[in-house]
Amino acid sequence: MKKWLRKLLGLDEIEARLDLVEREKSGLELRVVEANTLVKHAQDAALEGEVSDGLKEFIESQRIELSDTSVLRVTDVLSGAMLIERYGFRRAPALVSEQIDSPIITIADLEKNPELYYPRLAKGFLEFPIGLNMGLINNLLASNFGWREVKFREGINSDKFMIGYDFMLVANKQFVEAMNLSQLNRDQDNHYLTLDPLDFFLNYASFERVIVEQGLSKGTISRAISALRTIKLVYISAMEIIGTTRIRDPQDLLDPDLYKDQLYDTIYDKLKIGEDTESDEVKTILKRALLNDTNGTTYHEVQKLLEMRSKELFVELASQRTAEIIVRDKEYGRLTSTIGKPINEYTVGESIMLACYFSRNIIERYETLDGAIKNIFSGITEKGTSGKCTDYTGLALHYLREYLIPLNPEKFENWEFGFESDTIDSYKHCYIKAMHINPDLTVDVYFLDPTKLSSKGLGSLKTPKDVIETMDARTNPLQIQRLAEDLLHKEIK
């Protein structure tokens, strides 16, 4: 009975753990003493700028042989450690203490829990859901501080920026070691410091101290501090845009009064920032630049999805195919017949929906290139035009931008149309991104996937609601980057 109770209560396991702790205690105390000794020698070495006899003696006692090269290397590392202690360099911790079960989420998950998922987006928070344009910002930085000195990444992981070590005015091995030892330098590059935005904000005051305490001229210090503060203002402006962005239900596009009474100031890309410019005015200019030609919305990017050689021929053929669709829809009581008005009177939402419906009429079934190749080798021949996701999305965007919008361009002011794409291992997919930029420079984003229409026959796509519900892309997957800590918050049972 006694043995059974001890097993039931786990006493044997507890005693075994206590015994292990006692056995390791003496070894732990010895390591603490040795570590304290190493710290003292490291401090002495860093202050002296060389490896002292005491440190050499300690290292040799650990049976480590020192060459001239390793002596210099040890000095750099220890001096870097001293810089970390002096300026308090450190990485920002995870902001949310909650276990994340999967590296794949949906757009709807992001919409419901942005504070948890935005910092972990694999693309970077500046890349999704809008795809802020860092190109104009980089041009601004380059014109003021030089291409090799400071710039934001563009495209994947665009939330990081790179600043040259020379520009930090501490172009020495000790500072490089401090950045690498503290893991602030995400690329471990010896020419550029690549920072995450949260790490940048956490260590911002320390970076200014580093610049100020180098004994440089006032003009040099002013220029460097100006660069850091410009970067900070860019981040703040970008975060304000992202923080106020709404991922909206595509059904809202069917509201005929959507954005009807809003007054606008045309978005422009002029960047004129002088010494007298107020901070709020600068942020407005930066926001306009960030929202100009956002990623996936430019003509050349859409061309990469599906090339259009001649606009004139495309419009002519699109007009013919549209007339045929209208005739068939009237005969079978389908979408355009249900809407029951001329195409040039369609609302913005109805026009977006029609573009996707047009694409579905032209491309009858979904087929990837891999699937098409397998069919060739297996001898399968299927009738009808097939296409992959880039064909559906590219054709819908060309039809919307080149055929529908020119029918009533004023109606589409302050709208941007492009695509969003995901590559997750072997999964590759793209879909439409429709953005409305509001007068206060907040953004409403709608995601629609025209490829999903291929799963239904045209006879079941009779009303605008049917089409929009089928195309809702908020269930599409997104990849996040989980931290090791994200896996440990749930108690094991």
Side-chain angles (χ1 to χ4, degrees):
M1 179 66 71
K2 181 179 179 180
K3 291 181 179 179
W4 182 78
L5 284 173
R6 287 178 64 85
K7 183 177 181 181
L8 180 64
L9 298 173
L11 296 178
D12 290 337
E13 183 181 354
I14 292 174
E15 288 181 355
R17 290 186 179 184
L18 288 173
D19 183 54
L20 179 62
V21 170
E22 286 296 326
R23 289 200 308 271
E24 291 185 345
K25 183 179 179 182
S26 59
L28 178 62
E29 290 171 345
L30 177 60
R31 289 197 294 274
V32 170
V33 171
E34 291 175 345
N36 287 335
T37 304
L38 177 59
V39 168
K40 180 160 188 324
H41 286 309
Q43 290 174 339
D44 294 341
L47 292 173
E48 295 171 11
E50 60 182 20
V51 179
S52 64
D53 292 338
L55 181 58
K56 286 182 181 179
E57 181 181 343
F58 176 81
I59 293 175
E60 289 169 355
S61 72
Q62 305 303 305
R63 298 179 181 179
I64 299 174
E65 295 183 4
L66 288 177
S67 64
D68 292 340
T69 302
S70 60
V71 167
L72 295 174
R73 173 65 177 152
V74 168
T75 303
D76 292 339
V77 172
L78 296 177
S79 299
M82 284 296 295
L83 283 180
I84 293 175
E85 182 177 351
R86 178 176 181 181
Y87 292 106
F89 296 131
R90 65 192 188 280
R91 290 218 68 194
L95 296 179
V96 180
S97 297
E98 182 175 334
Q99 180 152 317
I100 299 177
D101 295 325
S102 172
I104 304 299
I105 63 171
T106 66
I107 296 175
D109 292 330
L110 175 67
E111 182 183 6
K112 293 175 184 176
N113 205 346
E115 70 279 0
L116 177 62
Y117 294 123
Y118 262 119
R120 292 165 169 77
L121 287 175
K123 297 179 178 182
F125 77 93
L126 299 184
E127 182 67 17
F128 190 89
I130 299 176
L132 297 178
N133 180 5
M134 304 311 298
L136 289 173
I137 301 298
N138 279 339
N139 290 339
L140 170 67
L141 294 173
S143 63
N144 285 275
F145 309 113
W147 278 113
R148 291 187 56 82
E149 293 176 337
V150 56
K151 60 184 177 181
F152 283 86
R153 282 182 173 178
E154 297 181 54
I156 297 176
N157 291 324
S158 60
D159 54 349
K160 296 179 177 63
F161 79 93
M162 303 168 68
I163 185 166
Y165 282 114
D166 289 340
F167 191 68
M168 286 299 293
L169 310 176
V170 281
N172 53 60
K173 295 180 181 178
Q174 290 76 26
F175 184 72
V176 175
E177 290 295 344
M179 294 297 96
N180 291 341
L181 285 172
S182 61
Q183 298 185 354
L184 286 176
N185 190 12
R186 303 313 299 149
D187 287 349
Q188 299 288 297
D189 190 308
N190 290 332
H191 301 287
Y192 281 100
L193 168 61
T194 304
L195 282 169
D196 288 333
L198 295 180
D199 291 340
F200 171 74
F201 280 112
L202 182 64
N203 294 276
Y204 179 82
S206 297
F207 289 135
E208 283 205 357
R209 280 184 58 202
V210 167
I211 292 173
V212 170
E213 294 175 4
Q214 299 305 307
L216 301 162
S217 67
K218 289 183 179 180
T220 303
I221 292 174
S222 175
R223 181 168 173 267
I225 296 295
S226 175
L228 283 181
R229 292 181 178 176
T230 301
I231 293 168
K232 183 170 71 170
L233 198 56
V234 169
Y235 269 136
I236 291 172
S237 303
M239 287 179 172
E240 286 182 1
I241 293 174
I242 297 301
T244 55
T245 293
R246 292 172 291 269
I247 300 175
R248 297 191 58 161
D249 185 340
Q251 290 290 342
D252 294 343
L253 290 170
L254 299 180
D255 180 359
D257 296 322
L258 188 66
Y259 312 118
K260 185 176 181 180
D261 299 324
Q262 292 191 356
L263 300 175
Y264 295 91
D265 183 19
T266 303
I267 291 175
Y268 58 92
D269 59 2
K270 296 178 181 178
L271 294 176
K272 295 182 180 179
I273 301 177
E275 294 181 0
D276 299 330
T277 310
E278 295 293 333
S279 177
D280 287 344
E281 185 180 349
V282 173
K283 283 201 296 184
T284 298
I285 294 172
L286 291 175
K287 285 182 180 181
R288 292 181 183 278
L290 291 166
L291 291 171
N292 183 78
D293 287 338
T294 52
N295 294 339
T297 64
T298 66
Y299 172 78
H300 294 291
E301 288 174 299
V302 176
Q303 278 285 81
K304 290 180 181 179
L305 293 183
L306 182 65
E307 184 178 358
M308 174 180 56
R309 181 65 61 88
S310 166
K311 287 186 180 183
E312 293 76 15
L313 179 58
F314 177 86
V315 170
E316 179 183 343
L317 293 173
S319 178
Q320 295 175 16
R321 301 291 84 78
T322 301
E324 294 165 0
I325 290 171
I326 291 174
V327 170
R328 287 199 313 176
D329 280 6
K330 186 175 182 180
E331 180 180 357
Y332 296 106
R334 293 175 183 168
L335 181 67
T336 58
S337 176
T338 302
I339 296 175
K341 58 184 176 182
I343 289 178
N344 62 347
E345 294 180 9
Y346 277 28
T347 66
V348 170
E350 290 169 340
S351 298
I352 297 170
M353 176 195 58
L354 176 61
C356 298
Y357 181 73
F358 176 86
S359 181
R360 166 63 183 85
N361 272 268
I362 302 300
I363 307 173
E364 300 170 81
R365 56 188 178 82
Y366 173 68
E367 183 180 59
T368 64
L369 290 178
D370 287 343
I373 291 172
K374 289 178 182 178
N375 288 343
I376 289 294
F377 281 109
S378 62
I380 297 175
T381 302
E382 296 189 34
K383 294 182 179 180
T385 304
S386 65
K388 55 187 188 296
C389 60
T390 51
D391 295 330
Y392 280 97
T393 300
L395 182 58
L397 286 173
H398 283 318
Y399 182 75
L400 177 64
R401 291 153 64 112
E402 307 301 336
Y403 183 74
L404 294 180
I405 291 179
L407 294 177
N408 197 346
E410 296 81 11
K411 191 181 300 182
F412 293 89
E413 286 184 0
N414 299 290
W415 280 92
E416 293 284 344
F417 301 100
F419 65 91
E420 185 62 40
S421 60
D422 293 296
T423 300
I424 306 173
D425 290 335
S426 59
Y427 170 83
K428 295 182 180 180
H429 196 65
C430 85
Y431 45 97
I432 286 177
K433 171 175 63 177
M435 297 182 297
H436 183 267
I437 302 172
N438 300 304
D440 58 358
L441 297 182
T442 61
V443 183
D444 292 346
V445 185
Y446 303 84
F447 292 113
L448 303 110
D449 191 347
T451 307
K452 290 184 176 181
L453 295 179
S454 64
S455 64
K456 290 193 173 185
L458 293 173
S460 61
L461 301 173
K462 291 186 176 182
T463 68
K465 185 176 180 181
D466 294 334
V467 177
I468 291 291
E469 281 184 349
T470 304
M471 290 194 299
D472 190 343
R474 290 177 300 168
T475 56
N476 284 23
L478 286 175
Q479 186 174 19
I480 57 174
Q481 293 179 328
R482 290 186 296 179
L483 303 174
E485 297 94 316
D486 294 331
L487 305 176
L488 303 179
H489 286 297
K490 186 181 293 184
E491 181 181 349
I492 299 176
K493 296 181 180 179

